[in-house]
Amino acid sequence: IRKSVINNIVDVSEIIAKSKEYTEIIKRKVMICTLARLSPPKALDKLILAAKILKDQGYDFEVWILGIGPLYEEFKVLIAKNDLNDVIKLLGFFANPYPILKQADIFVCTSIVEGFPIAISEALVLGLPVVATNIPAVSEILENGIYGVLTESTVEDIAQKLALLITDVNVRRTYSTKSLVRSEQLFQLQNQLRNYYNVFCDNNIVS
């Protein structure tokens, strides 16, 4: 039996248009952002503890966490316990997160399991450098680390990879360009439609 996999349609034009809307939330320093449900599979406790390592090492940065979920109160406690209230912002849910997301210098994903990583896809569309744990779905979309920085699922490695991008603007620029290239490869509308036609039609009718 011949099998094919088609990824979710990502509406590039809508994401870009919405990212241009006004927001009062403005970054003030190198900003690491994630967009995720605050639930165990997203492993955001690792991001919080990685931020603790980075702060203790003297890095100047902030972390914005967009999303809600059952671990919200637990994360508030963890942030306070590690003296990170000046570093990490739990911003909650936004119907349109893109004007905030596009300000990020680094997008991070600490998930231990993903189906199709929609938030990473959105980060690629906005040209954000991506740091993400090396799990199958993530490795596939980042092509084994060509289009983003892959980390082990450990606090120490997440901190180490984030430190590289915090300190080196040229590395960030390189991965920003790679994100846009990967977005064009995966989400350009004609390419997405061609994939559907190839699966559902006997002949490739999209030239």
Side-chain angles (χ1 to χ4, degrees):
I1 299 175
R2 187 165 66 99
K3 296 181 179 180
S4 298
V5 176
I6 303 178
N7 291 327
N8 297 39
I9 288 284
V10 174
D11 193 332
V12 172
S13 59
E14 181 180 31
I15 292 170
I16 292 174
K18 286 185 175 181
S19 75
K20 296 176 181 178
E21 294 181 8
Y22 175 75
T23 178
E24 294 181 348
I25 302 174
I26 304 297
K27 72 170 186 178
R28 290 177 173 81
K29 57 183 68 176
V30 174
M31 189 265 281
I32 300 164
C33 189
T34 192
L35 174 61
R37 177 169 167 76
L38 310 189
S39 60
K42 303 302 181 181
L44 291 173
D45 56 319
K46 294 182 179 181
L47 174 58
I48 294 169
L49 296 176
K52 171 64 172 173
I53 292 174
L54 293 170
K55 179 181 178 180
D56 288 347
Q57 292 175 346
Y59 292 98
D60 190 25
F61 67 101
E62 58 187 352
V63 176
W64 293 3
I65 298 175
L66 305 177
I68 56 174
L71 298 181
Y72 181 85
E73 293 299 327
E74 181 176 319
F75 288 159
K76 281 180 63 177
V77 172
L78 185 62
I79 290 166
K81 179 181 177 181
N82 285 281
D83 191 27
L84 292 169
N85 285 322
D86 60 330
V87 173
I88 300 179
K89 298 179 181 180
L90 287 174
L91 295 177
F93 171 79
F94 289 83
N96 176 15
Y98 304 124
I100 300 173
L101 186 62
K102 78 170 183 178
Q103 298 180 57
D105 297 286
I106 306 162
F107 180 85
V108 61
C109 172
T110 55
S111 295
I112 56 176
V113 62
E114 285 281 352
F116 179 76
I118 293 175
I120 290 179
S121 302
E122 294 165 336
L124 295 175
V125 169
L126 294 173
L128 305 181
V130 174
V131 175
T133 44
N134 189 7
I135 56 177
V138 170
S139 180
E140 179 180 353
I141 199 168
L142 298 180
E143 201 162 306
N144 300 314
I146 294 175
Y147 296 101
V149 179
L150 296 176
T151 81
E152 298 175 10
S153 294
T154 66
V155 171
E156 293 77 14
D157 199 47
I158 292 167
Q160 181 181 358
K161 299 299 172 49
L162 289 174
L164 172 64
L165 271 72
I166 290 171
T167 56
D168 196 328
V169 66
N170 289 324
V171 173
R172 296 202 302 269
R173 287 171 180 162
T174 295
Y175 279 103
S176 176
T177 299
K178 288 184 175 185
S179 289
L180 292 173
V181 169
R182 189 59 168 160
S183 173
E184 178 73 13
Q185 291 174 350
L186 294 176
F187 310 130
Q188 200 272 339
L189 182 59
Q190 193 73 357
N191 292 338
Q192 295 184 90
L193 292 176
R194 181 180 292 109
N195 290 336
Y196 276 86
Y197 279 120
N198 288 346
V199 170
F200 294 111
C201 299
D202 290 333
N203 298 311
N204 298 341
I205 61 174
V206 179
S207 61

